[in-house]
Amino acid sequence: MSELQLALLTIGIGMIAVLYAYGWWQQRQYRRRFGEAFGSDRADALYQGLDAGLAQAPVAGAGGEMAATLLDESCTLLEDRTDFIIELHLGEASLPSVLNGLWQRKFDFGKPVYICGQPLGGGKWERVIADSPALYERFRISLQLVDRGGAISAAKLADFRDLVTSIARQIKADATVPDIDETQRRAARLDAFCADVDQMVGINLVPPGARLLLGSKIAHAGALLGMTLESDGAFHLLDAQGHSLFSLSNLDTQPFQHHLLETTGTMGITLLLDVPRVDSPAVQFDRLMHIAHGLAKSLQAELVDDHHIPLSESGLDRIRERIAAVEAQMRDQGFAPGSAQARRLFS
């Protein structure tokens, strides 16, 4: 083999390695995007409703076929009770670039903005990308009404409406615009419902006496149960889609870090179940308790509430009943726990 052939072969192998690493990184980012953890302030010993106050992260693109499917599916989630939707009917098919003013201000409204389009010739609505070469006959531009930060304000709704209708005039598109006052009332009702069912369960594990739990042992015990340390500094049990079923965090709220696990010690850890964001939360609670007992045995720790009182079976039964009630309440309203719509509202 000549030196030139050897050099070309080496370059080819290097390019394959780079592409593989990039694809892995994209998938890793996707898993982290849907593996969010939540704060550990708990008013009740075990069970609480979350106060609105978690910031909404901007929607970002993710690599892979699964991420692309999710982007398309997001357009099917848009409905009047969850979003302020303005539909534009274009006189002639256009590129997404005609919405230039909107792309520049997409993150100015405090809630996620979704831009969906109907391609030239019809077909299903799809998520629109700013620099896409596709032509669209219609656009649906929506602003989410509620997330864990609360309901959208009337001022933000008006600002969003004015921006989109201004763009519609510029591109000579007909705009179908919902009434802002009625939208605000819907947002308030939805926010009240979300606040009522927004529940989180925390189970603490603490060692007896003054002994500390070592980070390396926590990681090993969690790994045996299928949990992995994610970018938020908590261990998560993920489902097949990369969504967090529940998390294991440091009792003192300090994030776990890979390079410090060998030297990290903590007075306790907390298993958290975010009820609205998991499928079949009552079933997942039983699964969480099974894992909690497994961790307690591995780490020689005790299961206690926030007052360091050992957990009782009667107390756990009451929690399970409340979780089941929340699950039924969400299903009655058409927001199944763990569904894409629920994860969107409780983000």
Side-chain angles (χ1 to χ4, degrees):
M1 181 180 293
S2 68
E3 291 184 1
L4 177 59
Q5 289 174 318
L6 182 60
L8 291 174
L9 179 61
T10 302
I11 292 171
I13 293 173
M15 291 180 66
I16 292 172
V18 169
L19 289 173
Y20 177 84
Y22 180 67
W24 177 90
W25 176 84
Q26 284 187 313
Q27 290 297 326
R28 185 67 171 172
Q29 291 296 101
Y30 171 73
R31 285 164 64 87
R32 289 175 176 178
R33 167 70 180 86
F34 290 100
E36 300 171 352
F38 299 89
S40 61
D41 291 336
R42 295 174 297 280
D44 199 347
L46 288 175
Y47 185 88
Q48 66 163 22
L50 288 177
D51 293 331
L54 294 178
Q56 168 66 38
V59 176
E65 182 178 348
M66 182 182 294
T69 300
L70 287 174
L71 287 176
D72 285 341
E73 286 181 351
S74 65
C75 292
T76 68
L77 301 177
L78 306 180
E79 52 180 296
D80 289 340
R81 62 175 180 164
T82 57
D83 299 86
F84 181 59
I85 304 172
I86 300 177
E87 187 163 318
L88 303 185
H89 301 257
L90 281 64
E92 60 182 34
S94 302
L95 296 169
S97 57
V98 298
L99 304 176
N100 185 52
L102 179 62
W103 297 117
Q104 295 175 352
R105 295 195 54 199
K106 187 178 177 183
F107 302 113
D108 289 354
F109 304 99
K111 296 286 187 277
V113 171
Y114 299 88
I115 304 171
C116 299
Q118 190 171 53
L120 177 64
K124 68 176 183 178
W125 292 89
E126 63 185 28
R127 191 76 171 269
V128 176
I129 307 300
D131 57 357
S132 170
L135 293 173
Y136 294 95
E137 296 179 319
R138 295 159 64 189
F139 291 113
R140 279 181 184 163
I141 304 169
S142 68
L143 178 63
Q144 189 169 313
L145 298 181
V146 170
D147 59 18
R148 276 181 163 152
I152 190 72
S153 68
K156 291 292 186 182
L157 281 173
D159 189 18
F160 178 77
R161 175 203 59 192
D162 293 346
L163 172 63
V164 177
T165 54
S166 174
I167 293 172
R169 288 192 296 270
Q170 293 173 14
I171 63 177
K172 296 180 173 56
D174 294 329
T176 303
V177 184
D179 180 74
I180 283 188
D181 291 336
E182 175 56 30
T183 300
Q184 183 64 39
R185 288 191 287 270
R186 288 202 311 270
R189 291 194 296 269
L190 179 59
D191 186 51
F193 163 76
C194 290
D196 189 40
V197 299
D198 197 358
Q199 307 291 332
M200 181 176 285
V201 176
I203 303 293
N204 300 319
L205 292 91
V206 299
R211 181 171 63 87
L212 297 179
L213 298 177
L214 297 179
S216 57
K217 291 189 176 180
I218 294 171
H220 179 70
L224 292 177
L225 295 168
M227 305 188 79
T228 56
L229 180 57
E230 299 296 318
S231 61
D232 57 9
F235 296 88
H236 289 263
L237 184 67
L238 305 177
D239 65 14
Q241 289 72 45
H243 303 139
S244 180
L245 295 173
F246 37 81
S247 64
L248 175 63
S249 58
N250 197 332
L251 187 60
D252 65 8
T253 73
Q254 292 298 314
F256 291 110
Q257 301 180 59
H258 283 286
H259 64 286
L260 295 178
L261 288 175
E262 292 294 336
T263 57
T264 296
T266 178
M267 297 177 62
I269 51 180
T270 302
L271 278 167
L272 292 173
L273 174 67
D274 194 359
V275 175
R277 289 181 59 88
V278 299
D279 180 42
S280 303
V283 173
Q284 296 302 335
F285 175 69
D286 291 335
R287 189 176 182 184
L288 178 143
M289 290 309 305
H290 177 75
I291 284 184
H293 286 294
L295 287 170
K297 183 177 180 180
S298 298
L299 300 173
Q300 296 181 328
E302 299 174 345
L303 303 181
V304 300
D305 64 21
D306 281 357
H307 305 297
H308 282 215
I309 298 174
L311 301 181
S312 66
E313 285 301 320
S314 60
L316 293 174
D317 287 342
R318 287 194 296 272
I319 294 172
R320 188 180 292 104
E321 290 171 2
R322 175 55 182 158
I323 293 173
V326 166
E327 181 175 352
Q329 188 177 354
M330 291 185 67
R331 291 188 184 279
D332 286 345
Q333 294 298 316
F335 299 112
S339 65
Q341 192 70 283
R343 291 194 304 274
R344 193 165 71 100
L345 294 176
F346 297 93
S347 60

